[in-house]
Structures are given as structure tokens and as C-alpha cells.
Amino acid sequence: MNSFISWRHSQLYRYFVLTVIIALIVFLKQFMSLLLLTIIFSYLAINAGKRVSAVLKTSRAISIALVYILVITLIVLAINHGTTTVMHQVKSMMALATDTSWDTNGFLKEVYKNMHHYTTTLNTDQLISKGISHLNQVGHVLYELVLALLFSFIFSMTYPQLRSWSLHFLHSPYHKFFGEFYIIIHRFIIILGRLFEVQLMICVINTAVMVAVLAFLQFPYLLGFAILIFILGLIPVFGVIISLVPLTITAFIIGNWHTVLIILVAVACVHFLESYFLHPHFMSQRTHMPILVILLNLIIMEKLFGVWGLVVGLPILTFLLDFFRIQKFKNQ
């Protein structure tokens, strides 16, 4: 009887600690994007550093430094090619807008007339205000990405010292609270990292398929589009759909409606492959959940938390099932 009471008390205490963590997350919700990005980058960097260290037989610090040098190099190349691709898109759209074929093609002429009617009704001040607002949002996202990359580098390089210092909390008078706090946070980070690795694998497959299609259609700036597709592919399911906008514009510029149709079919196939096979199948293998549950989780979490819901929705569900001992997450 006493053992049951003790077990019940420990369970209630763990629920109390979880409630404190949730309240802390709500209180710090404006920093959640930065915190989640830092956690994901740190997890990937530490694991990649271990693999590099095993292959090159270098120290832990040098291995992590090499990982970040490679990542920063790829980011610089991505910005360079991405900027070139965007400039090409803008110039091509301007050339298309002033093309004389608008007057000869009946369908295009009707589209142009509708667009001209729409642009004449726009409020210029409102348009500029919205443009500045969107630029501020983009700037904020880039700022958080840079900070997260910096924080994750510092965390990865100083992880042994941080871990040693954190032991002071486990030997304090509140060791029970901090012990439960550590177990819960550590378990969620492991689940988040493992599932994000699966998303990276799916993203690589999607990018390879789309790049093959673009190469067949002789798309310009293939590397720039490959980087764009890969980055958007990190957003489960919906990233593929977002990439449709620049791809269809470029397809129309370099070809005709047949080229656009091929792109639409290719994106639809990749979207179908990811949504109904790759993502549910690989995630189901990792989480051991039915595919229907995973799809419903993606839909619900996207409605509740937007894009971040797609990224952390499944890790949250997996963690809760593991926490309440409904279904244990196997850390393969």
C-alpha cells in the first residue's frame, strides 16, 4: 500500500513539473522560434560532429567546427545562388509583362486586362505598407536564424562544460524538481531530433526527384532552385506546395503551358509521394503510429500553431504518448 502511495505521489509530482514547463513555454512563447531552432541546430551539429570525429579521428571541438564551416559555406552559396535566381525571376516577369504577345494571344490578353484592372484599384500606400511589413517579417526570420546558428555553435562547443555546470542543480536542495525537469526536457529533445532527422531524409528524396525533373526541362539556375526546394522541403507536406509558385512562373517564362503542366504534375506527384507515403511511412516506422493518426496530427497542429505546428506537432504527440506511458518511443 505504501509503495502504491509513493508511486502515485511521484507520478503527480512529474505531472506538476510538466505543468510548470508548459507554463514556462507559454510565458516565453515569443522566444519559442529561436529556442526551437537552437535546439534543432545544436542536436544536428552534435550528432554530425560525432560522425565526423569517428571518420576523421579528430577531436570533438574540431569536428563540430568543421561541421559549422561546411554549413556556413553552404549558406553563403545558397544566398548567392538564391539572390541570382530571384533577380532572374523578377527580370523575367518584367519582360513577360511588357511582352507584345499579350495583345496577340486572346487568353493572355484577357488575363492582362484583368490584372490591369486589379492593379488600378490598388491603394499604393497600402501596398507599400504591406510590402514593408513583409520585409520586416523576413528580416526577423533571418535574424532568428543567425542567432540560432550562433547560439547552437556556442552550445555545441561548450556542451561538456555546460553539462558539468548543470550538475549543480541536481545536487541542490531542489534536486528532485530539477531531476524531473531534466528528464522531461531531455526526452522531448531526443524525440524532436530523431523525427527531424527523418524529415531531413524525406527532404533530400523530394529535392532529388524535383531536381531531376527540372534538369529534364532545362531549367535555369538549377542549383538555386535545388536550394529553394530543399529549404521549403523542411516544412512537412506543405513546403512542396509553396515551392509551386516560383516553379510555375519560371516554367511559363522558359516554355509554354505544356512546361507548366509538367511542373504541376511533378509537384503533385512529389506532394502525393511525401504526404501519403514518405512522411507517414517513415514517421510511422519511427513512432510506430498508424498513418491516419500522423496525417490528422499534421492537419490539426497546422491549424493550431501554423508552420511550427507541422514541424513540432508529431514530436509533441509522440512525447505525450511516451510521457503518459501509452506508447514508449524507441530511441533507435
Side-chain angles (χ1 to χ4, degrees), residues 81-117:
H81 285 276
T83 304
T84 306
T85 304
V86 169
M87 292 299 294
H88 171 75
Q89 289 275 71
V90 172
K91 290 179 180 178
S92 301
M93 290 173 66
M94 290 175 64
L96 183 65
T98 57
D99 196 342
T100 55
S101 63
W102 289 103
D103 298 323
T104 57
N105 187 301
F107 174 75
L108 294 179
K109 186 176 181 180
E110 189 64 28
V111 172
Y112 176 75
K113 186 168 63 175
N114 291 332
M115 288 178 60
H116 180 70
H117 175 72

Coordinates of all heavy atoms in Angstrom, one line a residue, residues 81-117:
H81 N 23.4 32.0 -54.8 CA 22.6 31.5 -55.9 C 21.1 31.8 -55.8 O 20.4 32.0 -56.8 CB 22.7 29.9 -56.0 CG 24.1 29.5 -56.5 ND1 24.3 29.4 -57.9 CD2 25.2 29.2 -55.9 CE1 25.5 29.0 -58.1 NE2 26.1 28.8 -56.9
G82 N 20.6 31.9 -54.5 CA 19.2 32.3 -54.3 C 18.9 33.7 -54.8 O 17.9 34.0 -55.4
T83 N 19.9 34.6 -54.5 CA 19.7 36.0 -54.9 C 19.7 36.1 -56.4 O 18.9 36.8 -57.0 CB 20.8 36.9 -54.3 OG1 20.8 36.8 -52.9 CG2 20.6 38.3 -54.7
T84 N 20.6 35.4 -57.1 CA 20.7 35.4 -58.5 C 19.4 34.8 -59.2 O 18.9 35.4 -60.1 CB 21.9 34.5 -59.0 OG1 23.1 35.0 -58.4 CG2 22.1 34.6 -60.5
T85 N 18.9 33.8 -58.5 CA 17.6 33.2 -59.0 C 16.5 34.1 -58.9 O 15.7 34.3 -59.8 CB 17.3 31.9 -58.3 OG1 18.4 31.0 -58.4 CG2 16.1 31.2 -58.8
V86 N 16.4 34.8 -57.8 CA 15.3 35.8 -57.6 C 15.4 36.9 -58.5 O 14.4 37.4 -59.1 CB 15.3 36.3 -56.1 CG1 14.3 37.5 -55.9 CG2 14.9 35.2 -55.1
M87 N 16.6 37.5 -58.7 CA 16.8 38.6 -59.7 C 16.4 38.1 -61.1 O 15.7 38.9 -61.9 CB 18.2 39.0 -59.7 CG 18.6 39.7 -58.4 SD 17.7 41.2 -58.0 CE 18.2 42.2 -59.4
H88 N 16.7 36.9 -61.4 CA 16.4 36.4 -62.8 C 14.8 36.3 -62.9 O 14.3 36.6 -63.9 CB 17.0 35.0 -63.0 CG 16.5 34.3 -64.2 ND1 16.9 34.6 -65.5 CD2 15.7 33.2 -64.3 CE1 16.4 33.8 -66.3 NE2 15.6 32.9 -65.7
Q89 N 14.2 35.8 -61.8 CA 12.7 35.7 -61.8 C 12.1 37.1 -62.0 O 11.1 37.2 -62.8 CB 12.3 35.1 -60.5 CG 12.6 33.7 -60.3 CD 11.6 32.8 -60.9 OE1 11.5 32.7 -62.1 NE2 10.8 32.1 -60.1
V90 N 12.6 38.1 -61.3 CA 12.0 39.4 -61.4 C 12.1 40.0 -62.8 O 11.2 40.5 -63.4 CB 12.6 40.4 -60.3 CG1 12.2 41.8 -60.5 CG2 12.3 39.9 -58.9
K91 N 13.4 39.9 -63.3 CA 13.6 40.4 -64.7 C 12.7 39.7 -65.7 O 12.2 40.3 -66.6 CB 15.1 40.2 -65.0 CG 16.0 41.2 -64.3 CD 17.5 40.9 -64.7 CE 18.4 41.8 -63.9 NZ 19.8 41.6 -64.2
S92 N 12.6 38.4 -65.5 CA 11.8 37.6 -66.5 C 10.3 38.0 -66.4 O 9.6 38.1 -67.4 CB 12.0 36.1 -66.2 OG 13.3 35.7 -66.4
M93 N 9.8 38.2 -65.2 CA 8.4 38.6 -65.0 C 8.2 40.0 -65.6 O 7.1 40.2 -66.2 CB 8.1 38.6 -63.5 CG 8.0 37.2 -62.9 SD 7.7 37.2 -61.1 CE 6.1 37.9 -61.0
M94 N 9.2 40.9 -65.5 CA 9.0 42.2 -66.1 C 9.0 42.1 -67.6 O 8.2 42.8 -68.3 CB 10.2 43.1 -65.6 CG 10.1 43.5 -64.1 SD 11.6 44.5 -63.6 CE 11.4 45.9 -64.6
A95 N 9.9 41.3 -68.1 CA 9.9 41.1 -69.6 C 8.6 40.5 -70.1 O 8.1 40.8 -71.1 CB 11.1 40.2 -70.0
L96 N 8.1 39.6 -69.3 CA 6.8 38.9 -69.6 C 5.7 39.9 -69.6 O 4.8 39.9 -70.5 CB 6.5 37.8 -68.7 CG 5.3 36.9 -68.9 CD1 5.4 36.1 -70.3 CD2 5.0 35.9 -67.8
A97 N 5.7 40.8 -68.6 CA 4.6 41.8 -68.5 C 4.6 42.8 -69.7 O 3.5 43.3 -70.0 CB 4.7 42.5 -67.2
T98 N 5.7 43.0 -70.2 CA 5.8 44.0 -71.3 C 5.9 43.3 -72.7 O 6.1 44.0 -73.7 CB 7.1 44.9 -71.2 OG1 8.2 44.0 -71.1 CG2 7.0 45.7 -69.9
D99 N 5.7 42.0 -72.7 CA 5.7 41.3 -74.0 C 4.5 41.6 -74.9 O 3.4 41.8 -74.4 CB 5.7 39.8 -73.7 CG 6.2 39.0 -74.9 OD1 6.2 39.5 -76.0 OD2 6.6 37.8 -74.7
T100 N 4.8 41.8 -76.2 CA 3.7 42.1 -77.1 C 2.7 41.0 -77.3 O 1.6 41.2 -77.9 CB 4.3 42.5 -78.5 OG1 5.1 41.5 -78.9 CG2 5.1 43.8 -78.3
S101 N 3.1 39.8 -76.9 CA 2.2 38.6 -77.1 C 1.0 38.7 -76.3 O 0.0 38.0 -76.6 CB 2.9 37.3 -76.8 OG 3.3 37.3 -75.4
W102 N 1.0 39.6 -75.3 CA -0.3 39.8 -74.5 C -1.4 40.3 -75.5 O -2.6 40.0 -75.3 CB -0.1 40.9 -73.5 CG 0.8 40.5 -72.3 CD1 2.1 40.8 -72.1 CD2 0.4 39.6 -71.2 NE1 2.6 40.2 -71.0 CE2 1.6 39.5 -70.4 CE3 -0.7 39.0 -70.9 CZ2 1.5 38.8 -69.2 CZ3 -0.7 38.2 -69.7 CH2 0.4 38.1 -68.9
D103 N -1.0 41.1 -76.5 CA -2.1 41.6 -77.4 C -2.5 40.7 -78.5 O -3.5 40.8 -79.1 CB -1.5 42.9 -78.0 CG -1.2 44.0 -77.0 OD1 -2.0 44.1 -76.0 OD2 -0.2 44.7 -77.2
T104 N -1.7 39.6 -78.7 CA -2.0 38.7 -79.8 C -2.7 37.5 -79.3 O -3.5 36.9 -80.1 CB -0.7 38.3 -80.6 OG1 0.2 37.8 -79.7 CG2 -0.1 39.6 -81.2
N105 N -2.4 37.0 -78.1 CA -3.0 35.8 -77.6 C -4.3 36.2 -76.8 O -4.2 37.0 -75.9 CB -2.0 35.1 -76.6 CG -2.5 33.8 -76.2 OD1 -3.6 33.7 -75.6 ND2 -1.7 32.7 -76.5
G106 N -5.4 35.6 -77.2 CA -6.7 36.0 -76.6 C -6.8 35.7 -75.2 O -7.2 36.6 -74.4
F107 N -6.3 34.6 -74.8 CA -6.3 34.2 -73.4 C -5.4 35.1 -72.5 O -5.8 35.6 -71.5 CB -5.9 32.7 -73.2 CG -5.7 32.3 -71.7 CD1 -6.9 32.1 -71.0 CD2 -4.5 32.2 -71.2 CE1 -6.8 31.7 -69.7 CE2 -4.4 31.8 -69.8 CZ -5.5 31.5 -69.1
L108 N -4.2 35.3 -73.0 CA -3.2 36.2 -72.3 C -3.7 37.6 -72.2 O -3.5 38.3 -71.2 CB -1.9 36.1 -72.9 CG -1.1 34.8 -72.9 CD1 0.2 34.9 -73.6 CD2 -0.9 34.3 -71.4
K109 N -4.4 38.1 -73.3 CA -4.9 39.4 -73.3 C -6.0 39.6 -72.3 O -6.1 40.7 -71.6 CB -5.5 39.7 -74.7 CG -5.9 41.2 -74.9 CD -6.4 41.4 -76.3 CE -6.8 42.8 -76.5 NZ -7.3 43.1 -77.9
E110 N -6.8 38.6 -72.1 CA -7.9 38.7 -71.1 C -7.3 38.7 -69.7 O -7.7 39.4 -68.8 CB -8.8 37.5 -71.2 CG -10.1 37.5 -70.4 CD -11.0 38.7 -70.8 OE1 -11.0 39.1 -71.9 OE2 -11.7 39.2 -69.9
V111 N -6.3 37.9 -69.5 CA -5.6 37.8 -68.2 C -4.9 39.2 -67.9 O -5.0 39.7 -66.8 CB -4.5 36.7 -68.1 CG1 -3.7 36.8 -66.9 CG2 -5.2 35.4 -68.2
Y112 N -4.3 39.8 -68.9 CA -3.6 41.1 -68.7 C -4.6 42.1 -68.4 O -4.4 43.0 -67.5 CB -2.9 41.4 -70.0 CG -2.2 42.8 -69.9 CD1 -1.1 43.0 -69.2 CD2 -2.8 43.9 -70.6 CE1 -0.5 44.3 -69.1 CE2 -2.2 45.1 -70.6 CZ -1.1 45.3 -69.8 OH -0.5 46.5 -69.8
K113 N -5.8 42.1 -69.1 CA -6.8 43.1 -68.8 C -7.3 43.0 -67.4 O -7.5 44.0 -66.7 CB -8.0 42.9 -69.8 CG -9.1 44.0 -69.7 CD -10.0 43.9 -70.9 CE -10.8 42.6 -70.9 NZ -11.8 42.6 -72.0
N114 N -7.5 41.8 -66.9 CA -8.0 41.6 -65.5 C -6.9 42.1 -64.5 O -7.2 42.7 -63.5 CB -8.3 40.1 -65.3 CG -9.5 39.7 -66.0 OD1 -10.4 40.5 -66.3 ND2 -9.6 38.4 -66.4
M115 N -5.6 41.8 -64.8 CA -4.6 42.2 -64.0 C -4.4 43.7 -63.9 O -4.2 44.3 -62.9 CB -3.2 41.6 -64.4 CG -3.1 40.1 -64.1 SD -1.5 39.4 -64.7 CE -0.4 40.4 -63.8
H116 N -4.6 44.3 -65.1 CA -4.5 45.8 -65.2 C -5.6 46.5 -64.4 O -5.4 47.4 -63.7 CB -4.6 46.2 -66.7 CG -4.5 47.7 -66.8 ND1 -3.3 48.4 -66.6 CD2 -5.4 48.6 -67.2 CE1 -3.6 49.7 -66.8 NE2 -4.8 49.8 -67.2
H117 N -6.8 45.9 -64.5 CA -8.0 46.4 -63.8 C -7.7 46.3 -62.3 O -8.1 47.2 -61.5 CB -9.3 45.6 -64.1 CG -10.5 46.0 -63.3 ND1 -11.1 47.2 -63.5 CD2 -11.1 45.3 -62.3 CE1 -12.1 47.3 -62.6 NE2 -12.1 46.2 -61.9

